[in-house]
Amino acid sequence: MNLSRLDGRTILVTGASGGIGYFIAEGLARRGARLIVAARSTTRAEAAIDLLPEPSRHRHLELDLSDRESIRTAGALIGGESTLDGLVMNAGVIAASPTFTTGAFGVESTVDVNVVAHMELLRLALPALDRAPSARVISTGSMLTKAIPFDLANWRAQTSYRPRVAYAMSKHAAEILGFELDRRLIASGSRIRSVVSHPGGAIDALTPDRPPLHQRSPAVRLLAPVIAPLFSRVVQGKESAAQSAVAAVAMTTPGVRPYIGPRHVATGTPHLAAPVPTSSDETIGAALWADIEGILGASVLPRS
């Protein structure tokens, strides 16, 4: 997979003040990009920016994906930028609520943050993406889509709720909408491309220290070289997990329906992978797109 430099390009990464999101930002910054670190906490965002190569190139955008007004304010600011070359929709709820809760857009809270909030941000940021020569939107899926099937009738927990399933449905939906977005962008003649990636499996114990954002105990650092080879096909550090999204932004030729994930599903270098069939199904994509626009009460893309 050929990756390009990103000098002069501005990339917004949601959730870039910690976890995999920070390492996505770091990887993109190393390739020359200017980062917009979209995060709730100014303190954590500034700490993240200080760790990035050439901190003066980057800036913080206050964004709380669980707050509708925060999304609209941030989205309007970004949409008014001269250009935006990339939007990496990384942030999200990993540990779903033990019981059903409703989010800012009136649907199950995991789906609300992981999917609906990002689609609203995308809708508002679209003018700046459209002004860029060749912008890219990255949706974040999960290898869990291979373990838990998609259920169109219950993807928002309309009939039943289980936390692990709610998370899986949000990741399925992110993948499905990412592919549907690409189909619609191509059909409209847009220069924007949509790429779907997934990080595989990641744990803090194998993640390199980036104090003050992340620092392992001496015991964990000592054990990490022992753990790594034992679980090399099962789990990796968050720096490694971030590389699929970095590749999704920097790959020179996205091709048709690009899906980027670790070579060994959970671990390994990024490569062009195969999503589960439902993720790229056009009928499901159209149905889910209509559902999202109904929730938002607005078109995500301009009507032709």
Side-chain angles (χ1 to χ4, degrees):
M1 186 185 300
N2 294 322
L3 305 183
S4 64
R5 291 283 303 172
L6 300 169
D7 302 280
R9 299 187 191 181
T10 301
I11 315 291
L12 189 157
V13 181
T14 65
S17 64
I20 292 173
Y22 166 76
F23 287 103
I24 293 171
E26 183 180 87
L28 295 172
R30 285 177 176 168
R31 304 196 76 83
R34 291 188 297 261
L35 271 299
I36 300 175
V37 174
R40 287 177 297 183
S41 168
T42 300
T43 301
R44 285 185 61 84
E46 289 176 350
I49 288 168
D50 285 343
L51 292 171
L52 295 175
E54 297 187 46
S56 62
R57 278 207 316 256
H58 318 299
R59 59 191 168 95
H60 171 223
L61 173 71
E62 187 176 338
L63 173 65
D64 182 350
L65 289 166
S66 67
D67 184 315
R68 201 164 185 166
E69 286 308 310
S70 175
I71 298 162
R72 286 178 170 169
T73 299
L77 286 171
I78 292 302
E81 299 264 326
S82 57
T83 59
L84 179 66
D85 299 283
L87 171 59
V88 182
M89 301 189 293
N90 157 81
V93 174
I94 297 173
S97 171
T99 57
F100 181 94
T101 57
T102 301
F105 292 88
V107 300
E108 189 278 316
S109 58
T110 311
V111 166
D112 200 283
V113 170
N114 294 5
V115 183
V116 184
H118 273 116
M119 294 300 285
E120 176 73 341
L121 179 66
L122 168 63
R123 182 181 75 82
L124 296 166
L126 199 68
L129 289 162
D130 208 32
R131 287 190 287 268
S134 57
R136 206 163 285 181
V137 177
I138 313 302
S139 298
T140 304
S142 170
M143 63 182 183
L144 190 60
T145 58
K146 296 181 182 296
I148 298 176
F150 183 66
D151 183 355
L152 185 60
N154 194 44
W155 78 278
R156 293 183 278 109
Q158 299 100 307
T159 59
S160 64
Y161 177 79
R162 286 188 292 157
R164 182 173 168 81
V165 172
Y167 176 74
M169 291 304 105
S170 76
K171 297 287 100 178
H172 272 289
E175 291 190 0
I176 293 164
L177 291 167
F179 289 122
E180 180 66 14
L181 173 63
D182 200 48
R183 282 189 286 269
R184 290 173 183 249
L185 289 168
I186 291 171
S188 72
S190 174
R191 296 186 301 269
I192 306 168
R193 290 301 308 275
S194 172
V195 181
V196 182
S197 73
H198 82 85
I203 57 172
D204 284 337
L206 298 179
T207 301
D209 294 339
R210 294 291 189 273
L213 296 181
H214 167 66
Q215 189 159 13
R216 297 167 295 174
S217 69
V220 170
R221 282 199 302 272
L222 190 64
L223 286 171
V226 178
I227 295 170
L230 292 175
F231 298 97
S232 62
R233 293 294 185 100
V234 180
V235 74
Q236 59 193 347
K238 292 180 179 179
E239 182 183 34
S240 297
Q243 299 315 305
S244 291
V246 173
V249 174
M251 65 190 297
T252 53
T253 52
V256 178
R257 305 289 99 79
Y259 185 64
I260 315 298
R263 185 165 297 277
H264 306 300
V265 182
T267 66
T269 56
H271 79 137
L272 284 167
V276 294
T278 48
S279 286
S280 56
D281 185 285
E282 294 188 23
T283 302
I284 294 173
L288 205 61
W289 191 271
D291 205 355
I292 284 289
E293 291 192 328
I295 294 166
L296 294 178
S299 300
V300 176
L301 300 180
R303 300 291 188 190
S304 57

